[in-house]
Amino acid sequence: VEQSLVPVDDTYTYSDNTIRGMEPFLKTYHSTAGSQFRRISFLKFDISGLSPFVQSVKLRLYCNGFPAGGDLAHQFDLYPVAKNTWAEDDVTFLNYVDRLGADITSPLLASYTVPAGQALSAQYIEFSGAALTKYIADSLAAGRPFISFRMREKNVVKVGSAAVIVEFHSKE
């Protein structure tokens, strides 16, 4: 039996104390110029209605796409989040570590990569694989009603000197 879930909360963080959970887009961008320039997206799902015998998991996000010419590959990485008690209307750049826990960098649950220089038309992108399925199955086995993901871009992608900020549709 296939089931589809919509995030119960989603947001992204960027530079200040602005709450972005009600915005229509989740934005991603990696920066090495300082963490305040990064855009990191977070998604929370209610998994309480799923069978503990989950066989396959896919996370599909609608991306607005981006033009050709990026100097590096767009690699969107999905990681677990430590705390699942956060709410989209209470997360900002200044408090996200308190609300969601310190960044977890292992295991990498899934990635989606668009090679350097290639454009991406507006479309769904899909995260899947054994690590993502195991994370959901383990969370169900542990009796967790909610799970959260952090999605961030691995590389600093620019066209010339302009940052390529990628937009995904939020639940709004």
Side-chain angles (χ1 to χ4, degrees), residues 17 32 51 55 77 133 149 154:
N17 211 29
T32 53
S51 163
Q55 294 179 337
D77 291 336
T133 299
F149 300 110
K154 181 177 183 175

Side-chain angles (χ1 to χ4, degrees), residues 45-67:
F45 294 88
D46 179 346
I47 60 169
S48 62
L50 295 180
S51 163
F53 306 106
V54 64
Q55 294 179 337
S56 173
V57 174
K58 297 175 187 169
L59 176 62
R60 295 181 69 207
L61 296 173
Y62 194 83
C63 181
N64 279 348
F66 44 83

Side-chain angles (χ1 to χ4, degrees), residues 12-156:
Y12 75 97
T13 59
Y14 171 61
S15 83
D16 60 15
N17 211 29
T18 301
I19 292 172
R20 302 179 187 283
M22 303 306 165
E23 293 185 12
F25 301 107
L26 303 172
K27 297 182 181 183
T28 64
Y29 178 70
H30 187 68
S31 173
T32 53
S35 62
Q36 72 272 21
F37 300 112
R38 292 183 191 141
R39 289 159 181 86
I40 303 170
S41 296
F42 300 94
L43 301 109
K44 181 170 69 175
F45 294 88
D46 179 346
I47 60 169
S48 62
L50 295 180
S51 163
F53 306 106
V54 64
Q55 294 179 337
S56 173
V57 174
K58 297 175 187 169
L59 176 62
R60 295 181 69 207
L61 296 173
Y62 194 83
C63 181
N64 279 348
F66 44 83
D71 58 344
L72 297 171
H74 282 277
Q75 180 176 322
F76 306 101
D77 291 336
L78 201 62
Y79 295 95
V81 168
K83 297 178 182 177
N84 296 304
T85 54
W86 61 278
E88 65 184 17
D89 61 354
D90 191 37
V91 174
T92 69
F93 172 77
L94 298 178
N95 73 15
Y96 83 92
V97 173
D98 290 336
R99 299 292 189 270
L100 292 104
D103 285 351
I104 297 172
T105 56
S106 179
L108 171 61
L109 298 174
S111 293
Y112 185 91
T113 304
V114 178
Q118 286 192 13
L120 183 74
S121 60
Q123 62 182 284
Y124 279 98
I125 68 166
E126 192 170 275
F127 297 90
S128 61
L132 180 58
T133 299
K134 181 180 181 338
Y135 175 63
I136 301 298
D138 289 352
S139 296
L140 288 164
R144 291 189 195 103
F146 296 95
I147 51 101
S148 298
F149 300 110
R150 173 174 56 102
M151 181 183 62
R152 72 170 184 88
E153 190 151 8
K154 181 177 183 175
N155 300 317
V156 179

